[in-house]
Amino acid sequence: MMNDECGMMSEPRYKANWEILSRLCPDLCSKIAAGAIPEGSLSIEFHESKSGAATACVTGCGRPRFLHSRYDPVNEARRWAAGLPACQDSVVLFLGWGLGYHALEWMRLHGGEMQAVVIAEPELALFLHSLQCADLRPLAQAARVEIVLGESGGALYQALLRQMEFILTGGFYVISAPFADIYPPEFLHTLRGEMQRLMYAKEVMLRHMAEMGGLCQRNIIRNLPAAARSWLPRDVKNLARKQPAVIIAAGPSLDRNIALLPSAQGKAWLFAVDTSLSILQQRGVSCQIVVTKDPTERNLLHFQGVDLSHPPVLAFDPQIDPAIPAMFPGAFLMMPNRNHALHSHIKGLELTPDDLLPLSTNVALAAFNLAVCMGCEPIIFVGLDLCFAVGEGSSHASGSALVSETNYSPQDGSLFYRRGEACDAVEAIEVEGIDGALYPTTSTFYEALRLLESLIAQSGVHCVDASEGGAKIAGMEIMTLAQALDRYCIQPIDDSVLYALPRPQRDAAAIRRCLSAIADHIEHCGETARQALECLHKNDLSSIPSFRIEIEKDYRLYQELQSALERIMVEAAHPGFWRWESLAEQEAIARCRWYFTEIEMAGKVYAPMVREAMKIVMNEE
């Protein structure tokens, strides 16, 4: 037993560290306690240094290698940390924890200046030993902490993805521990690959904000009348508790077992994603709920020719084309978009915690979140491939409105889509299939795959992969659909509880008043931006800060128009955007002109749309 400052084995230190870890990373502590984290691959010996602090040595692969000083590991780490920058307002990934000295000393100096820290340590034994000899208190300085143990690239990607908001608005830095080269090459290769995919995902998100933000915002506004008539997730909370659900996607594997789905009717809650609805109707399969999310016009193709004489409940993200709700004569269930703050400005549409479904990047994940909200268990997936065939194949099940021919050759790494005369190629990522072989997928599907694994783990719900093909999804039990139906879909369910829900009764006059106030505020900000542009035309920067403060007051405009303004708000949130000390005057003026031009345009475009939505609510009363 050593002293409390640098003791090699201290029971009080372990208890204090475990308390800190339980507060910062409760899920990680649960996994450690359950033995759910795999052991690493290195042979490690622990020693006492000259100063009395613990150190560690990797053995069994040639000359022994010490991770920390044999004389004074803590002082060594302090000197190392003092030579590194602060990485202010950023997300920092530490590659290698060892016994924690290096990361903790850096955190002691700079922990309060970061947005988040993610720590990757493939060797479980090192981390567990560090709880007995290091002092984890500096970790508590960080606003957000993620610790990934084991060699799972997927877990690291998920941890970083959860910090994407801060990576977008700040920066992303990797700090490698001095001993990081002791880790297996396979781990380092996986790590580099996951970081490259993360940076690509960041680029895609920024591009999506710029290209799709306006469309999503227009749809959200135009769907406000439908939102006023919709149930919210809280209205169906635990409505189907402990009853099985089948989520039916439209991957090509659906062709293998779609004939079995009629036998699930009346014995499970059937969730059709938009791409599979017409395919199911062609086979005589009726679903209680159809889920839709895609904002583009092509999403309309999935609903053309669909029989809506006895429609399923339409569960929709309000970013969809407003022509889709207009088609449905039945009940609506709105799954609030990420722009949750908008609802706080509309009386009667305020959200509760039960309404805030987790992030979903595609429609199958949105359906999963809704099924979890409804209390369904188990949740069985069909047609969820999230990857494509090697060689020639199909993008969707037969009968899908968007079915394309695919072709993939591992030699050139490109995945080709052909639909009619159109042909497109995307860079492929290889993922493991349920049969253990490698299959190509896109970055979008890869992101959805990793996010779904995270959602399954967080939900604790028993999930079954009955697609009989496609990517392997961690956390799912794999079986055929016939086996799943025989095991889990046995007893009749009572889905009349859904149709018996009372239709929402909301105060249309109050909603109209709120929409009028929103339109007035958007117009006011647009006019403020116009005045700022007049000053900039005269090369006058002196009053620009006051105009900016007026526009960003309480961040209300961002809450009202998050989708439309997300890209500009991301750029304006970068450290230094409004700091002009190092900029030439014309460069500062150009930066401000871009910002205020976007705000002025938003005032002109979206305020009239809100007023039009207000009139529709009035007419529907």
Side-chain angles (χ1 to χ4, degrees), residues 164-166 168-169 202 204-217 220 319 337-340 359 552 555 557-574 594-595 598-599 602 606:
M164 182 58 82
E165 175 185 351
F166 309 104
L168 287 171
T169 58
K202 174 181 176 179
V204 169
M205 288 181 186
L206 289 172
R207 190 163 60 245
H208 184 272
M209 290 175 193
E211 295 174 356
M212 302 297 293
L215 173 63
C216 293
Q217 189 67 65
I220 288 170
Q319 71 180 4
N337 190 264
R338 291 187 306 117
N339 188 2
H340 295 152
L359 171 70
E552 296 187 1
Y555 250 49
L557 183 66
Y558 179 60
Q559 294 167 357
E560 294 165 337
L561 299 177
Q562 177 179 334
S563 294
L565 299 182
E566 193 163 23
R567 178 61 189 266
I568 189 172
M569 290 299 180
V570 163
E571 296 296 337
H574 277 99
W594 171 73
Y595 172 85
E598 292 293 318
I599 302 298
Y606 299 112

Side-chain angles (χ1 to χ4, degrees), residues 233-253:
R234 63 176 177 254
D235 296 313
V236 297
K237 179 77 172 176
N238 288 328
L239 193 72
R241 184 168 178 78
K242 297 300 181 182
Q243 297 177 29
V246 181
I247 295 176
I248 307 159
S253 66

Side-chain angles (χ1 to χ4, degrees), residues 81-95:
L84 294 177
C87 304
Q88 188 176 18
D89 296 321
S90 300
V91 175
V92 175
L93 168 64
F94 272 100
L95 171 53

Side-chain angles (χ1 to χ4, degrees), residues 501-521:
L501 282 176
R503 294 299 174 92
Q505 299 296 315
R506 296 192 172 94
D507 186 341
I511 291 175
R512 291 195 299 271
R513 287 193 297 271
C514 293
L515 295 182
S516 179
I518 289 172
D520 289 346
H521 181 253

Side-chain angles (χ1 to χ4, degrees), residues 182-196:
I182 60 110
Y183 298 121
E186 299 80 14
F187 168 74
L188 298 175
H189 176 76
T190 298
L191 183 73
R192 283 192 293 269
E194 296 303 325
M195 287 190 292
Q196 288 173 357

Side-chain angles (χ1 to χ4, degrees), residues 108-151:
R108 196 185 306 278
L109 290 174
H110 307 300
E113 302 176 54
M114 295 182 304
Q115 290 285 8
V117 59
V118 179
I119 295 163
E121 174 52 67
E123 296 293 325
L124 177 62
L126 285 172
F127 184 80
L128 293 180
H129 200 83
S130 76
L131 298 181
Q132 304 175 61
C133 57
D135 180 358
L136 264 58
R137 283 178 294 181
L139 272 183
Q141 296 182 56
R144 297 160 194 86
V145 177
E146 297 258 12
I147 300 175
V148 181
L149 302 180
E151 298 182 14

Side-chain angles (χ1 to χ4, degrees), residues 209-283:
M209 290 175 193
E211 295 174 356
M212 302 297 293
L215 173 63
C216 293
Q217 189 67 65
R218 293 193 297 273
N219 288 349
I220 288 170
I221 293 172
R222 289 169 175 161
N223 276 319
L224 284 170
R229 296 185 285 117
S230 297
W231 294 318
L232 287 164
R234 63 176 177 254
D235 296 313
V236 297
K237 179 77 172 176
N238 288 328
L239 193 72
R241 184 168 178 78
K242 297 300 181 182
Q243 297 177 29
V246 181
I247 295 176
I248 307 159
S253 66
L254 183 61
D255 288 336
R256 297 175 186 159
N257 51 25
I258 190 172
L260 297 176
L261 287 175
S263 64
Q265 293 182 130
K267 298 178 181 177
W269 291 81
L270 302 187
F271 292 74
V273 306
D274 42 29
T275 48
S276 67
L277 181 61
S278 63
I279 302 172
L280 295 171
Q281 283 200 351
Q282 293 166 22
R283 298 295 190 108

